Amino acid sequence: MPNKLNENTDSLFKNPFDDYNANVLDPELIMQYWFTPFSTGALKDFDEKRFFTQKMPIILQGSRGSGKTTILKYFSFPVQCERALQNHITIRQQLLKDEGVGFYFRCDDSFLKEFESVFSIAVESKWTSCFEHYLELFFVKSLIELIFKLGKDYSDNFPDEILKTSNLCELRADCNFTDMHSFSEYIDAEIRYINTFKNESLFTQAKFEPKHVWSIYDISSKLIHAIAQTAPELSKLNYLLLIDEFENLPQELQKQFNTMIKFCRPDISMRIGRRSENIVTKETINDVEYLREQHDYHLIVLDQEQDMQSLRSYLLGIAKKRLEAMDSSLFPTSIIDILGDKEDLDAECQKNANAKNLHLRYVLNSNPRIKADDGLLDQIISIISYPQNRIAETLNALWVSRCEQDENPLDVAKFTVNAMQAFFNKGEHQLLEKYKNDYSNKYRYAITILICTAYKKDKLYYGFNTLCHLSEGNARTFINLCKAIISDALFYEKKRFLSIMKISPESQSRAIRSYSRSEFNSVCSIIQNGNSIREFLLCLGNVFSEFHRDKLVRYPETNQFIYNPDDLSPEDRKTLEIAISWSLIKKKKDTQRLSAGISKEGDIYTINKIFTPIFNISYRTRGGVNVHFSAEEIGEMLKGQFQKSKLSTSTKRKRISPTKNIKNIPPADQLSFFDWGEGK
């Protein structure tokens, strides 16, 4: 099988994660890659039917790649047509099944800036009316497409019946069109006129003189009413305006849309997609009316934290859709088969240490008494060494390094080894539960990073579980990571990958680090105050890195921090708000106890987990001690001038020896040892 697979794919293999931007995906690919996010995470209280039928407008808010565009496009009419095709039913049947129909409009930033620039000169303060006119023409054009499609299900003269029933001539006498085709040509001509004027006005002296400037819903509402009258079974359809990248709208247009949201029609609702990066207003065109959440609209924040089980299921589904799209049935359909599931920390530590014990010396030398006596150091190492399990022997060293002045290090070493033996052989010991917790939970990941530090190696980041943590539920980040990993494997270990369809931890980690750095550099280069934010993140990551390199592992896996925004200067506060809005740093959804030893509650922040590989730090959230930064320190970090060791200032007391409160520890020569058995 390996040879056959290699022959079939060596030159034909296409990375299944190449297409990731929903803006450029056609309806067929939207359907092919669709794995429903509903009933999980922020959408756990929704299903697709409710998203179609709810009358109250819905705002989807999320950072880049959180899935807003994919969701909005999935509910658009072109994708509904594709869904009908795949379901082997008519468009009419699909609409009746969905109970709604959607029309997608993207607020392209460059288009909007050019539109405002041209029409604010051409018609001055009335330029927003020109945009409303353009939006209505777009909506009407989309409705005409719907009507012609429905004509195939009803009758050839269905479109003309709709036009006749709509009584458009009531709006204007010159709207007395003879058939839907001529009306469609009028709408197309008006859209072309706007686009041509926008593109050529800078080079001509022409005035903007459309046949008529329509307000939103002038024509569209009449067409919708006519559809309901002509085809009564469609009278309960919910018509959705799917507005994407709302944050790109100038504030004047946001006010207009907010007015449409607040005074939503019974048969036309809105679904808005907006990033959290840009500030949006809640004002309407009425100075005394403002949008109110849950009263005027339903807000869904896509970036909120998910439980790991739901997140794994969602991302597995996304990957499966991509892998199933491959031509050959020989490819795995589970990304776990390719990447593996979880990191093998034992194997990583074993490989880094090889046959050496440098990591033990690295930890034990943190104790001045042991460091000063080479003979004592060698004796302790001979007692605590367990080459079969590098994490366990390093934990032994950590316990011994914390022994206090009145304790005999050799007694503590043998007592610790007995605790280890009791754990692996399911025996009894006074500190069995503590050893079990320290080994299995508290220090396992931290010790892995410590061993990497001792041998000057980078921590490896690999496996599906790691990608779940690093992406934090962001679909685009997850897809990009998978794409980068497979691309790396095709370049560095192509023969192995195509032969066994598995990717080594080294290749995965290399790709993840590369993507992490690329994302860090690209985002910091395009956002406002990007240089200051870059310096801040570098300082922040280096502070966390210092905690992870601590030989005593006093604060394992520290990667959260706290500060008081009210203490910052307006400029510094704005800069950090930008970093938060772009999800470069993240604020916990709920207030929590600020740190271990502090009873006060407040906001806790963390670096975006996709950046953790840059600094060789943990992507897990453990809680405990969170690093506090003063306003002065924040200012220094934003300027790249922060030099202080936060580890030393956070360490108000040394770690208590695990054996400190154990009475009558037997002398070293009186300790008995269990058989090692075959425990890991």
Side-chain angles (χ1 to χ4, degrees), residues 452-623:
C452 289
T453 302
Y455 292 98
K456 299 181 179 180
K457 302 282 188 180
D458 285 331
K459 171 73 183 72
L460 294 179
Y461 295 83
Y462 62 95
F464 172 71
N465 192 65
T466 297
L467 266 60
C468 291
H469 281 283
L470 294 179
S471 65
E472 297 186 271
N474 187 291
R476 183 185 296 181
T477 299
F478 173 74
I479 291 171
N480 277 333
L481 285 170
C482 291
K483 175 186 176 182
I485 288 170
I486 290 179
S487 295
D488 186 277
L490 288 171
F491 187 83
Y492 288 102
E493 51 183 46
K494 184 175 183 179
K495 185 176 180 180
R496 177 185 187 274
F497 173 52
L498 296 179
S499 174
I500 64 174
M501 277 292 136
K502 296 185 183 298
I503 302 176
S504 69
E506 291 75 16
S507 182
Q508 292 185 51
S509 190
R510 179 170 53 241
I512 289 172
R513 285 183 184 280
S514 177
Y515 176 77
S516 179
R517 294 190 189 99
S518 174
E519 183 72 2
F520 179 83
N521 291 328
S522 64
V523 175
C524 289
S525 67
I526 63 173
I527 62 175
Q528 184 182 0
N529 297 349
N531 287 334
S532 295
I533 293 173
R534 175 188 175 85
E535 294 295 342
F536 175 81
L537 293 175
L538 288 173
C539 290
L540 184 63
N542 287 330
V543 167
F544 292 148
S545 180
E546 180 190 19
F547 276 76
H548 282 66
R549 296 194 308 270
D550 177 26
K551 297 178 181 179
L552 289 176
V553 199
R554 285 164 283 194
Y555 308 106
E557 299 182 65
T558 297
N559 57 13
Q560 298 186 143
F561 67 103
I562 54 177
Y563 70 96
N564 187 350
D566 296 335
D567 293 340
L568 303 182
S569 68
E571 182 180 355
D572 290 351
R573 183 165 57 249
K574 179 183 177 182
T575 301
L576 287 195
E577 286 174 352
I578 293 172
I580 293 171
S581 68
W582 277 82
S583 296
L584 300 177
I585 58 178
K586 295 193 171 186
K587 182 170 73 172
K588 293 286 186 178
K589 180 182 177 182
D590 301 315
T591 58
Q592 302 176 24
R593 192 175 69 165
L594 288 173
S595 188
I598 301 177
S599 58
K600 182 180 178 181
E601 290 201 349
D603 290 322
I604 296 177
Y605 304 83
T606 183
I607 195 169
N608 190 313
K609 291 179 181 178
I610 192 57
F611 301 138
T612 56
I614 298 175
F615 305 102
N616 276 319
I617 62 177
S618 173
Y619 49 71
R620 306 196 310 173
T621 299
R622 285 187 49 85

Side-chain angles (χ1 to χ4, degrees), residues 84 106 119 126 135 181 190 202 232 249-250 253 263 282 405 422 476 490 501 524 539 554 582 615:
R106 177 174 173 243
F119 287 94
K126 297 180 180 179
L135 182 65
H181 280 287
E190 287 295 284
L202 295 177
L249 291 169
L253 293 183
F263 303 102
K282 292 187 177 181
Q405 197 64 35
R476 183 185 296 181
L490 288 171
M501 277 292 136
C524 289
C539 290
R554 285 164 283 194
W582 277 82
F615 305 102

Side-chain angles (χ1 to χ4, degrees), residues 61-72:
Q61 178 175 295
S63 58
R64 297 175 309 138
S66 56
K68 305 179 300 298
T69 298
T70 301
I71 292 172
L72 292 178

Side-chain angles (χ1 to χ4, degrees), residues 114-128:
E114 185 179 5
F115 194 100
E116 180 181 7
S117 174
V118 169
F119 287 94
S120 61
I121 295 174
V123 295
E124 298 180 349
S125 61
K126 297 180 180 179
W127 78 269
T128 56

Side-chain angles (χ1 to χ4, degrees), residues 364-528:
L364 290 168
N365 279 336
S366 63
N367 184 302
R369 181 162 44 132
I370 298 174
K371 182 179 180 180
D373 189 336
D374 289 340
L376 177 60
L377 176 62
D378 290 338
Q379 280 185 281
I380 293 172
I381 290 176
S382 67
I383 295 172
I384 66 173
S385 290
Y386 185 34
Q388 298 95 315
N389 192 314
R390 298 300 189 177
I391 293 178
E393 67 176 6
T394 307
L395 178 60
N396 296 343
L398 187 61
W399 276 30
V400 176
S401 70
R402 293 177 177 176
C403 71
E404 300 193 0
Q405 197 64 35
D406 59 348
E407 292 183 290
N408 184 331
L410 294 177
D411 292 348
V412 172
K414 292 195 174 183
F415 193 74
T416 298
V417 168
N418 274 350
M420 177 184 70
Q421 293 172 326
F423 168 62
F424 286 129
N425 293 323
K426 299 181 180 180
E428 295 181 358
H429 193 276
Q430 290 172 280
L431 293 179
L432 174 61
E433 288 304 314
K434 175 169 178 54
Y435 196 96
K436 176 182 178 180
N437 182 60
D438 283 4
Y439 175 82
S440 303
N441 179 34
K442 187 174 182 180
Y443 292 113
R444 187 172 182 78
Y445 197 96
I447 284 175
T448 302
I449 293 181
L450 199 64
I451 292 176
C452 289
T453 302
Y455 292 98
K456 299 181 179 180
K457 302 282 188 180
D458 285 331
K459 171 73 183 72
L460 294 179
Y461 295 83
Y462 62 95
F464 172 71
N465 192 65
T466 297
L467 266 60
C468 291
H469 281 283
L470 294 179
S471 65
E472 297 186 271
N474 187 291
R476 183 185 296 181
T477 299
F478 173 74
I479 291 171
N480 277 333
L481 285 170
C482 291
K483 175 186 176 182
I485 288 170
I486 290 179
S487 295
D488 186 277
L490 288 171
F491 187 83
Y492 288 102
E493 51 183 46
K494 184 175 183 179
K495 185 176 180 180
R496 177 185 187 274
F497 173 52
L498 296 179
S499 174
I500 64 174
M501 277 292 136
K502 296 185 183 298
I503 302 176
S504 69
E506 291 75 16
S507 182
Q508 292 185 51
S509 190
R510 179 170 53 241
I512 289 172
R513 285 183 184 280
S514 177
Y515 176 77
S516 179
R517 294 190 189 99
S518 174
E519 183 72 2
F520 179 83
N521 291 328
S522 64
V523 175
C524 289
S525 67
I526 63 173
I527 62 175
Q528 184 182 0

